[in-house]
Amino acid sequence: VVVKVGTSSLVNDERGTLNLSSICTVCEAITDLKKKGYQVVLVSSGAVGAGCQKLGVDRREVTTLSRKQALAAIGQGALLRLYDDIFTELGVKAAQVLLTLDNLATRSQYNNALATFEELLSMGVVPIVNENDTVAIEELRFGDNDTLSAQVAVIIGAEWLFLLTDVDALYTANPNTNPEARAVRVVEDINELANVVTTKGCGSKYGTGGMATKLTAARLSSAAGCSTVICSSQYPERMQDVIEGNRDIGTCIMPISQRPPKPTKKWILSIPPKGEIKLDVGAEEAVMNRTSLFAAGIIEVTGNFLQQDTVKLVNMDGVEVGRGLVNYTCDEINKILGKNSDEFENVLGYHGPEEIIVRYNIVRTKVDESNMTQAMSFGDLTSLANIGE
């Protein structure tokens, strides 16, 4: 089980201080899960927010990367010490794990991270994960660790990912402004949510994530065979009820397959895509049927990627259906898209693979509707959305 708690749940907006009661409640809920026999990883935001609290700085006034990194350095130690003190009182051992996107994109570092997690969990320790903000080369808007938590779930092969936040579920409209907004409880196909549920909310001045980033995280974990639950951080003890089958709590986004992907495919999900390939109907069907991708089925290529980079595969409607490692650069694919493989040598000047992406380097991220057990139909979601308009 991976539990992610966001900055908005850890920092009290009004006082600008760490919310001790919330942190204690989360730690107690994790301890209860461990007593039930579950291995738990905690992905915690809040380092920058904790740093802001210590210096009395308004998070929204911090705009430069170096300032954010400095505040993360100030807040990370204080946050971890607090977690360690609480878990120690509860009789649980904790460890700190700091990761960056670069760590997960490099295969050797990815494998080292996996080995570390496996050792920690085998020792009964709760790994506390955060992005290594002080050395991150990209902006800290990493989805408030939503995406990181999904990638951790992918790495360790988690069955459940809980995104604890300041709202209790996905809604068809903003429940703070629309009294007729309805909660969506179970989702079989995350792609059907894009134009139905709202991703807007009031948010927190200390957090950097939002509902859109949670859907991105759910897409990743769903592709890896992990169920994702978006629920309120006020009642973390309800996580156990969800695991035991209660579907009236939060929003449960089901995995696209009960069969977890193989190690290489899990790694592919952890790599940030460098580009996008649009497929025709035939190529989309081939991807969904677990066959290779050929140039004849490609309509358009965007982005700037090299051989063996990860790209998104989207259908004619722009919906992501998979991800994969390409055998050609973006410039090369633009030259051969729509062509048969026997034409490659004349166009490129060398004889390369006939597949643009070979099947074992493709991970599906879209539900195969022919095998889907419908929990809530698209029509149901649409009707709910109409109610909220």
Side-chain angles (χ1 to χ4, degrees):
V1 179
V2 175
V3 179
K4 183 266 176 179
V5 58
T7 302
S8 60
S9 303
L10 296 174
V11 179
N12 186 294
D13 266 353
E14 295 180 1
R15 297 194 302 267
T17 59
L18 287 173
N19 196 334
L20 298 180
S21 60
S22 293
I23 296 173
C24 289
T25 304
V26 169
C27 292
E28 288 172 348
I30 290 174
T31 301
D32 290 340
L33 286 175
K34 282 184 60 61
K35 290 178 180 178
K36 289 286 186 177
Y38 296 102
Q39 295 178 319
V40 186
V41 176
L42 172 62
V43 178
S44 176
S45 302
V48 176
C52 289
Q53 176 221 319
K54 291 197 74 171
L55 295 185
V57 175
D58 188 326
R59 174 67 173 80
R60 288 174 295 192
E61 296 176 357
V62 181
T63 57
T64 66
L65 178 60
S66 59
R67 183 80 164 173
K68 294 174 185 176
Q69 290 173 323
L71 287 166
I74 294 168
Q76 185 63 46
L79 187 61
L80 185 70
R81 185 179 68 239
L82 183 59
Y83 274 125
D84 189 58
D85 288 344
I86 296 171
F87 275 125
T88 297
E89 290 297 319
L90 295 170
V92 175
K93 296 178 177 62
Q96 182 181 47
V97 178
L98 297 177
L99 296 172
T100 66
L101 279 171
D102 288 342
N103 296 147
L104 302 182
T106 304
R107 187 64 184 271
S108 61
Q109 294 186 46
Y110 171 94
N111 289 334
N112 286 339
L114 172 59
T116 299
F117 279 119
E118 289 178 341
E119 287 293 334
L120 289 171
L121 293 172
S122 70
M123 293 187 290
V125 175
V126 173
I128 301 175
V129 184
N130 197 358
E131 185 180 10
N132 195 354
D133 292 335
T134 56
V135 299
I137 60 174
E138 297 183 9
E139 282 291 334
L140 299 185
R141 298 183 66 84
F142 191 58
D144 197 25
N145 282 349
D146 290 324
T147 303
L148 177 59
S149 66
Q151 290 174 331
V152 169
V154 171
I155 291 172
I156 67 172
E159 295 180 2
W160 292 92
L161 168 62
F162 287 90
L163 301 176
L164 305 184
T165 183
D166 51 3
V167 296
D168 63 349
L170 283 174
Y171 281 84
T172 56
N174 188 343
N176 294 322
T177 58
N178 190 333
E180 295 185 334
R182 297 280 298 277
V184 178
R185 293 302 181 190
V186 181
V187 177
E188 288 282 351
D189 186 358
I190 191 172
N191 292 300
E192 293 185 343
L193 289 177
N195 298 316
V196 177
V197 302
T198 182
T199 57
K200 298 179 180 179
C202 55
S204 159
K205 70 178 181 180
Y206 290 104
T208 60
M211 202 54 69
T213 63
K214 288 169 178 55
L215 294 182
T216 299
R219 184 185 301 278
L220 286 175
S221 57
S222 175
C226 177
S227 299
T228 303
V229 181
I230 299 172
C231 57
S232 173
S233 60
Q234 291 185 343
Y235 308 102
E237 67 276 4
R238 294 179 179 175
M239 291 188 292
Q240 187 170 312
D241 296 332
V242 175
I243 293 174
E244 293 174 353
N246 189 330
R247 295 295 176 264
D248 293 324
I249 299 170
T251 297
C252 184
I253 301 171
M254 307 303 291
I256 67 170
S257 173
Q258 296 300 323
R259 183 177 62 182
K262 295 181 179 180
T264 296
K265 293 188 176 184
K266 290 204 299 182
W267 175 62
I268 290 171
L269 287 172
S270 298
I271 307 173
K274 297 290 184 66
E276 188 173 283
I277 295 177
K278 180 174 285 189
L279 314 177
D280 64 20
V281 174
E284 179 187 359
E285 291 178 355
V287 168
M288 296 305 296
N289 289 326
R290 296 183 173 88
T291 58
S292 299
L293 175 63
F294 298 91
I298 296 176
I299 297 174
E300 183 182 10
V301 178
T302 56
N304 183 19
F305 53 86
L306 303 175
Q307 293 179 6
Q308 296 304 300
D309 278 344
T310 298
V311 298
K312 289 183 180 180
L313 305 177
V314 301
N315 62 16
M316 297 283 288
D317 298 322
V319 175
E320 182 182 328
V321 299
R323 298 187 182 189
L325 296 179
V326 289
N327 288 328
Y328 295 93
T329 68
C330 56
D331 292 335
E332 290 172 334
I333 296 177
N334 272 315
K335 293 177 182 178
I336 60 177
L337 61 83
K339 300 183 182 297
N340 294 318
S341 57
D342 56 9
E343 302 176 73
F344 288 4
E345 188 169 0
N346 291 333
V347 175
L348 300 177
Y350 71 92
H351 180 72
E354 62 178 353
E355 305 96 343
I356 301 301
I357 307 178
V358 71
R359 62 182 180 82
Y360 52 76
N361 283 335
I362 296 177
V363 189
R364 295 181 305 154
T365 58
K366 182 176 182 291
V367 172
D368 183 355
E369 296 180 359
S370 63
N371 297 324
M372 187 169 71
T373 301
Q374 195 74 12
M376 176 175 282
S377 70
F378 183 63
D380 293 334
L381 289 173
T382 303
S383 64
L384 290 180
N386 291 336
I387 292 174
E389 288 180 351

